[in-house]
Amino acid sequence: MKKEIDNKLNLKNIKPTAMRQLVLQVLTEQKTAISLPELEQKFEKADKATLYRTLKSFQENKLIHSIEDGSGSLRYALCQDNCECDPEDLHVHFLCTNCNQTFCLNDIPVPTINLPSSFSFESVNMVVKGICSNCKK
Amino acid sequence: MKKEIDNKLNLKNIKPTAMRQLVLQVLTEQKTAISLPELEQKFEKADKATLYRTLKSFQENKLIHSIEDGSGSLRYALCQDNCECDPEDLHVHFLCTNCNQTFCLNDIPVPTINLPSSFSFESVNMVVKGICSNCKK
DNA sequence: AAGTTGATGCAACCGGGTTGCAAAGTTATT
DNA sequence: AATAACTTTGCAACCCGGTTGCATCAACTT
């Protein structure tokens, strides 16, 4: 366990501090994308700013990606192994309006948009809202 | 001018107060989607809360639609004439990472996503980021 | 061991969004 | 025309996610 965590960090050139190990641990166990305040709650006593900076460095090193979740806040989730956070790596996200969880639909790529030629493309954020499988039952 | 504004409001069953006329005026002149703080700045002296509630009632009455602009804040733009804010009415939005303006790509509908059958669809938000035509020059 | 660099914790701030409440304005009722 | 009932407005205050400054602490360099 510990080994794998450290491995992942090293692979992305992130110095494996205690804090970072813990955060990555949480992110690994987490099936849905998590927000900063949610992450904060996972710890008894943790500093928001530290977590914030931890997530930021994870993101800069392409260990996680962030999405605007459709309710005005950011959420974070682990990238797929091969992810380079390039446009082709982007997938659709799903926000459940009932339980408020955000799911990575990893196997649904964001459709390509034919922009007017006067616009140039950098990235795209696509969030579908509805009811998730858990809440439908 | 005044006539058209009032007409639009009446059509959507919104009582045409002075404030609402002014806000709709601004929205009509505005080519890009506007945020609440931006709207505030368009007036010498206007109350944020009132503007907020004005936008809210416009939205409830389907005179305008809102989008999460990809930078964490909401923006508002006039609906098309025939718009019912149904999923089929949704279009893609474009955020310029240079000038920070949000454009309605009215003629680019949001592509349909085939959700896993266990998820049900309500709505979708799609924002493309890049450089707009003005900034490319 | 001293010096450099980076990580952490605390506090404070910022800005968008939102609400409560009282005053002003409008509409309806007699 | 006067009153009651409802709506809109303005002000203040608040909430919360995100962010920064700064001092401290840890790790690593020479």
Side-chain angles (χ1 to χ4, degrees):
Chain A
M1 303 292 102
K2 216 56 180 291
K3 274 274 173 68
E4 293 170 24
I5 296 284
D6 281 7
N7 255 339
K8 269 193 175 172
L9 290 172
N10 286 325
L11 261 167
K12 302 283 183 173
N13 296 312
I14 305 166
K15 232 184 281 177
T17 66
M19 193 72 249
R20 288 171 180 171
Q21 290 166 344
L22 288 172
V23 171
L24 180 50
Q25 183 69 46
V26 169
L27 289 172
T28 307
E29 289 164 359
Q30 183 75 13
K31 309 132 306 297
T32 53
I34 196 172
S35 65
L36 176 54
E38 279 169 5
L39 181 60
E40 217 181 332
Q41 287 169 9
K42 296 262 174 184
F43 297 94
E44 301 264 320
K45 177 186 165 305
D47 179 48
K48 203 174 41 152
T50 305
L51 294 175
Y52 170 74
R53 287 186 272 235
T54 301
L55 290 174
K56 215 168 175 188
S57 79
F58 280 9
Q59 193 174 5
E60 278 159 9
N61 293 286
K62 297 178 179 172
L63 179 57
I64 63 177
H65 61 275
S66 70
I67 6 122
E68 260 199 280
D69 76 349
S71 77
S73 46
L74 285 172
R75 287 173 184 263
Y76 306 86
L78 285 183
C79 288
Q80 306 281 86
D81 283 343
N82 49 349
C83 173
E84 284 301 319
C85 293
D86 289 329
E88 345 40 295
D89 293 324
L90 298 169
H91 53 263
V92 175
H93 291 87
F94 183 92
L95 172 68
C96 177
T97 54
N98 184 247
C99 66
N100 212 32
Q101 295 210 60
T102 301
F103 299 82
C104 287
L105 305 180
N106 281 312
D107 37 6
I108 308 185
V110 173
T112 311
I113 298 295
N114 278 319
L115 287 176
S117 60
S118 47
F119 290 76
S120 69
F121 176 95
E122 280 174 13
S123 73
V124 59
N125 194 66
M126 185 168 188
V127 180
V128 177
K129 297 187 199 180
I131 304 292
C132 76
S133 45
N134 297 330
C135 291
K136 262 173 85 176
K137 287 167 195 165
Chain B
M1 302 292 101
K2 216 53 180 292
K3 274 275 173 70
E4 292 170 26
I5 296 282
D6 281 8
N7 254 340
K8 267 193 177 174
L9 290 172
N10 285 326
L11 261 167
K12 303 283 183 174
N13 296 311
I14 304 166
K15 234 184 278 178
T17 66
M19 193 74 248
R20 288 171 181 169
Q21 290 166 343
L22 288 172
V23 171
L24 179 51
Q25 184 69 46
V26 169
L27 289 172
T28 306
E29 288 163 1
Q30 183 77 12
K31 309 132 304 294
T32 54
I34 196 173
S35 66
L36 176 55
E38 278 169 6
L39 181 60
E40 218 181 330
Q41 287 170 10
K42 296 262 173 185
F43 298 94
E44 301 265 323
K45 175 189 165 303
D47 178 48
K48 203 174 41 151
T50 304
L51 294 175
Y52 170 74
R53 286 186 273 233
T54 301
L55 290 174
K56 216 167 173 188
S57 78
F58 280 9
Q59 192 174 5
E60 278 160 8
N61 293 284
K62 297 179 179 171
L63 179 56
I64 63 176
H65 60 275
S66 71
I67 5 124
E68 260 199 280
D69 77 348
S71 77
S73 46
L74 285 172
R75 289 174 182 261
Y76 305 86
L78 286 182
C79 287
Q80 305 282 83
D81 284 343
N82 48 348
C83 173
E84 285 301 319
C85 294
D86 289 330
E88 352 28 301
D89 293 322
L90 299 170
H91 53 263
V92 174
H93 291 88
F94 183 91
L95 172 68
C96 177
T97 54
N98 185 248
C99 65
N100 211 33
Q101 295 210 59
T102 300
F103 299 82
C104 286
L105 305 180
N106 281 313
D107 37 6
I108 308 186
V110 173
T112 311
I113 297 295
N114 278 319
L115 288 176
S117 60
S118 48
F119 291 74
S120 69
F121 176 94
E122 280 174 13
S123 72
V124 59
N125 193 66
M126 185 169 189
V127 179
V128 177
K129 295 187 201 182
I131 304 292
C132 76
S133 45
N134 297 329
C135 292
K136 261 174 85 176
K137 288 169 194 165

